[in-house]
Every structure is written in C-alpha cells, then in structure tokens.
Amino acid sequence: MKKAIFISILCIKSIMSFGQSTTFYSKYVELYKGKRAVISKEYEDYYSNSSIKLKLISEIIKPLKLKKNMDTLLRINALDLKGDTLIFDDAQPIQTVNEYTKQSNYKLLLKSLKSGKRYILDYDPEISFYFPFTIIDKLSIPNGYFCNEISQRKDKFTGKIITETPTGEKIAFVKMSDSGEISYYLRLLSYSSSLSSYLKTGVIVLLQDGSKVEFKDCNIEILEKSHSGIYTYLAMQKLDQETLKKLSKGKIEAYRMFVDDSTINDFEAVKAISLLNCLTN
C-alpha cells in the first residue's frame, strides 16, 4: 500500500516536472536500439533537488590482467553522466521476470560516445519517472507497429461490434459498428487529486501544430478513486469525419478536461495517431 501511494505521488510530480523532454518508450524497449541519449533536463531538475538518490545505472568495469575473467559492475547515479552523450546498444535487451509479480523488467546496454565506457540501465517499463534520458534521434516506427494492440468484442445485448485501442491509456479511440453503420469516438483519461462537487463538461484538444479541437458539451465522468486519493476522469466524444481526419494527421500535444490539463509526450502522440490509423484503415 505504501509503495502504491509513493508511486502515485511521484507520478503526479513527474507529470508536472518532466514534460516532453524526457523520452520514455514504455514496454517497447526495442525502439531504444541504436538511439543516442543525453540526461533529461527535467530529470536533472527534479532529482538534483530531491532526497531520492537513484542508482539504476551500472558502469561495466573491465577486470585487470591476471584477475578473474569477468566484468564487475559499479553502481552510479544517472546524474553522473550529465554532459555525456550515450548510445543504446543494438543488441536485444536482457529481460528479467519478477517471480512474484510476473512483471518484465529489462537491462539495457549503453555506451558513452565521449569515453567509450559501457553501462547497464535497470529499466522498468511501467515507471517513466525512473528513466533519465532524452532520446535525441528521431523516432521511427514501422507501419502497423501497434495494430496488434487493438481489440474487438461484440456486445451480447445490442449486437454492436466494438473495436478499440488500449483503454488504459490517456488517449484511446473506439470504433462502433451497428448494422453496417460505423461511428468513431475519442476517449480521454485525466487524473486529479481533487474532486469537483458539480458536473464537469467541456474538452479542448491542442495539437502540436497549434490548432485546437473543442467539444463544449462533452460530459466528463468520474471513474474511480485510487487508494492514494487520485481521481480518474473520463471523457468520451463522438467524432465527425472532419475531426477524425484531423486527429489522424495531427499529433496531440495536450488536452483540457474542464479545467484539468494533461500533457502528452511525443511518443504517446505518435502512438495515438498510429493506433487511430490502424482503426480506420
């Protein structure tokens, strides 16, 4: 319980502190391969003033001659690599599975382009605020890369066919087919530590090109309250063809649900567009 509360609090701080400069590809660890990285300014600003001193990186120390033929590892703080540029190895990441939670973690190999030193990063695909890097190379995602994450089900009461992108993410899209008639919906999640005492309406979606999409009458529902006191809000809006086309081409930068703002990093934006195109094609 204490761990869950601690993580939830840090997640809120990370939303405020990290912004778009920290790159995090979640479980898609293969996207880091061959990419250059530097210490994120947001990570530096947050952990430089924090009592939390994470040592999730190990420097690989080559053994001295006549010693045992095995590398030794020296734990370091990621901030020790400030000012350096590193590159992720092209090798397949080393996967480890927690025997109790069954969650997969990874060990990612990196190399300093300045000194040639090698490092291992302990990588948790579920916790973005532990990740210290900004990826400085452009993200390239193959066509259809996320399409296998789309699910489909049939409503046994109405007969509607519901096809949707992962619903646990901040941005999701839903396709409903009813007797040959197809409708598309945008689904947004937002998190807040406060609970409004009155009904919330109104959603504004801001795209990276500066344009906006506004849904003034969109209702915002309260889904649940976590153990740490964080409320989850849901907005779901039917999309016309013009808006659907706009969202399939323009990357979302942020959205506002009533007065609560949510920022989307570039990877989340790219993934949302990719999933929408999977859904509509």
Side-chain angles (χ1 to χ4, degrees), residues 18-24 38-42 133-135 265:
F18 282 8
Q20 292 186 338
S21 292
T22 295
T23 311
F24 185 68
V38 295
I39 295 298
S40 161
K41 183 67 166 59
E42 285 75 20
F133 296 112
T134 293
I135 303 300
N265 64 44

Side-chain angles (χ1 to χ4, degrees), residues 119-259:
Y119 302 92
I120 297 175
L121 169 67
D122 291 334
Y123 180 80
D124 188 329
E126 302 294 330
I127 307 179
S128 62
F129 51 82
Y130 285 172
F131 190 73
F133 296 112
T134 293
I135 303 300
I136 59 179
D137 290 318
K138 183 178 180 181
L139 174 63
S140 178
I141 296 179
N143 291 333
Y145 183 79
F146 300 108
C147 288
N148 63 348
E149 297 187 25
I150 290 178
S151 61
Q152 187 176 87
R153 57 189 171 87
K154 183 176 182 179
D155 189 309
K156 63 182 181 181
F157 296 103
T158 64
K160 291 181 180 179
I161 304 298
I162 302 170
T163 310
E164 55 194 357
T165 66
T167 55
E169 300 188 358
K170 289 189 286 186
I171 303 173
F173 296 96
V174 181
K175 174 183 177 182
M176 290 191 184
S177 179
D178 185 12
S179 302
E181 182 178 339
I182 297 176
S183 302
Y184 291 92
Y185 295 82
L186 169 65
R187 188 178 187 273
L188 299 174
L189 294 177
S190 181
Y191 306 94
S192 176
S193 58
S194 61
L195 176 65
S196 175
S197 58
Y198 50 90
L199 182 65
K200 293 184 175 185
T201 58
V203 171
I204 301 174
V205 178
L206 176 64
L207 304 183
Q208 288 187 11
D209 63 7
S211 61
K212 299 177 184 178
V213 179
E214 188 168 1
F215 309 108
K216 294 182 179 179
D217 299 322
C218 181
N219 290 327
I220 301 169
E221 304 175 36
I222 302 172
L223 283 187
E224 59 186 5
K225 179 183 178 182
S226 70
H227 295 298
S228 57
I230 305 302
Y231 295 91
T232 301
Y233 292 92
L234 164 70
M236 191 162 176
Q237 175 65 41
K238 187 175 182 180
L239 302 174
D240 57 34
Q241 287 300 312
E242 181 181 352
T243 305
L244 182 66
K245 184 177 180 180
K246 189 170 186 176
L247 293 178
S248 67
K249 294 183 176 180
K251 291 193 289 187
I252 295 176
E253 179 178 312
Y255 55 87
R256 174 172 293 173
M257 293 170 60
F258 187 59
V259 295

Side-chain angles (χ1 to χ4, degrees), residues 81-100:
L81 299 175
K82 178 184 174 183
D84 202 348
T85 300
L86 300 99
I87 186 167
F88 283 91
D89 200 289
D90 283 326
Q92 186 66 22
I94 302 168
Q95 183 178 5
T96 61
V97 179
N98 186 297
E99 62 177 312
Y100 301 106

